[in-house]
Amino acid sequence: MARRHLPRYRQGPVAVNLRKVAIVPCHNESGAVAKVVADLASAVPDMEIYVYDNASTDGTDLAAREAGAHVRYELLKGKGNVVRRAMADLDADVYVLIDGDDTYDASSAPLLIEALLEGPYDQVTGVRTQQTATAYRAGHELGNKAFNTVVSKIFGYPATDMLSGYRVFSRRFVKSFPAVSRAFEIETEMTVHAINARMPQTEVSVAFKDRAEGTESKLRTYHDGFKILGMIGRLLQQERPMLVNGLLSVVLFLLGVGLGIPVIIDFLETGLVARFPTAFLASSIILLSVLTLLIGIILDGLRKVRQENIRTAYLAFPAVGDKS
């Protein structure tokens, strides 16, 4: 997929009359989290920084606390569990989500916040720009591009970096987001949530570099890749049921017709149903095709109701920066 031109925003002073919080999920990031906290505090001095220690065993919580962050604990492992908990716990106007591994440029936070306010937007995604040739692990960049293409085609929105973990949200995004993911699928879910609720969103380029020396990635290439693929499949079934069930219905119908035509030809020639089992199988498959289509229609109706409820919850909050 061709890379979209990303808008450029000037990095000016960030509005001080808004409550801003940073959510920093961490699992065994004692070697990097202090720098992330320090960079965030320097970039946006009035922002409260919350480090969520996700079952760490290396003193991540102590390093974060010494750096000046509020530390909270989520014992259920997985980034999705952390994000769901943090979004429920914290009440703010602007939310910054950034990983605690110091691979993202935390000093770009004012740039993303400014973009959110200027829109106003409800989600700003930091599109990763590699600073070194090894910033992306082998295969990750290719996998990310593949997932971007799939989601863009299915949901009709040109996502450039849907797996980015550096994002800024409005309050109405956060409080209308029914997060269900447990692990690294959370970024996919956030992207699709914004698309389906028709929220205004944009992307801003941010620097992406190698992990701090002595730390290691928690992302398991194939294991988490299949999880993300599974999440896309589930979202496809939930958000495009007529597409999924319609295609399945057509396949079943064609299969049933293919099996049934020889039986019909024999009946027209002899007046007898010589292959009764085949006739029974063909009629059953065609009936299943009709039922699959009807289920798709019902699921599509439920999808519309669910999206209307999410949209209503979203509209219950004012646009970011609007205090009226």
Side-chain angles (χ1 to χ4, degrees), residues 52-129:
Y52 276 77
D53 187 322
N54 191 209
S56 297
T57 58
D58 68 343
T60 293
D61 55 343
L62 297 177
R65 192 174 286 112
E66 289 176 0
H70 303 282
V71 177
R72 293 186 176 179
Y73 299 88
E74 175 53 59
L75 299 181
L76 291 176
K77 285 187 67 175
K79 185 177 180 180
N81 291 323
V82 172
V83 172
R84 179 169 56 251
R85 164 78 182 280
M87 287 183 169
D89 286 353
L90 303 176
D91 190 30
D93 298 299
V94 176
Y95 297 77
V96 176
L97 176 66
I98 186 171
D99 292 341
D101 58 8
D102 194 33
T103 54
Y104 296 97
D105 180 13
S107 65
S108 295
L111 199 64
L112 274 68
I113 295 173
E114 188 68 22
L116 187 85
L117 300 178
E118 282 189 9
Y121 296 104
D122 291 300
Q123 176 176 238
V124 177
T125 302
V127 175
R128 291 169 286 186
T129 302

Side-chain angles (χ1 to χ4, degrees), residues 102-262:
D102 194 33
T103 54
Y104 296 97
D105 180 13
S107 65
S108 295
L111 199 64
L112 274 68
I113 295 173
E114 188 68 22
L116 187 85
L117 300 178
E118 282 189 9
Y121 296 104
D122 291 300
Q123 176 176 238
V124 177
T125 302
V127 175
R128 291 169 286 186
T129 302
Q130 292 191 86
Q131 301 301 294
T132 62
T134 57
Y136 271 110
R137 287 170 61 189
H140 285 193
E141 185 174 15
L142 181 61
N144 188 28
K145 288 180 179 178
F147 286 133
N148 290 332
T149 301
V150 170
V151 169
S152 298
K153 294 296 184 184
I154 291 174
F155 296 101
Y157 179 84
T160 305
D161 189 6
M162 70 164 207
L163 299 183
S164 172
Y166 196 4
R167 300 177 185 232
V168 175
F169 310 104
S170 68
R171 185 167 184 262
R172 60 183 182 177
F173 177 102
V174 168
K175 297 307 178 182
S176 66
F177 177 45
V180 297
S181 301
R182 297 180 180 180
F184 289 103
E185 319 95 281
I186 188 68
E187 286 90 358
T188 302
E189 191 181 4
M190 290 188 290
T191 298
V192 174
H193 171 64
I195 294 171
N196 281 332
R198 295 177 174 82
M199 296 182 186
Q201 57 179 317
T202 191
E203 299 173 332
V204 174
S205 293
V206 295
F208 186 64
K209 59 183 183 295
D210 292 301
R211 293 180 61 90
E213 187 174 350
T215 65
E216 62 180 40
S217 175
K218 314 306 181 298
L219 182 64
R220 293 171 290 177
T221 303
Y222 296 106
H223 179 271
D224 292 311
F226 281 119
K227 275 192 171 183
I228 294 168
L229 191 59
M231 167 61 73
I232 292 174
R234 289 191 296 274
L235 289 171
L236 178 60
Q237 174 62 48
Q238 293 170 9
E239 308 301 340
R240 298 292 185 270
M242 275 304 296
L243 174 63
V244 175
N245 286 60
L247 289 174
L248 182 57
S249 177
V250 169
V251 170
L252 290 171
F253 181 80
L254 293 176
L255 178 60
V257 169
L259 291 171
I261 285 178

Side-chain angles (χ1 to χ4, degrees), residues 32-59:
V33 66
K35 185 175 186 305
V36 174
V37 172
D39 288 348
L40 286 172
S42 176
V44 190
D46 65 329
M47 182 165 63
E48 296 179 59
I49 303 168
Y50 288 83
V51 170
Y52 276 77
D53 187 322
N54 191 209
S56 297
T57 58
D58 68 343

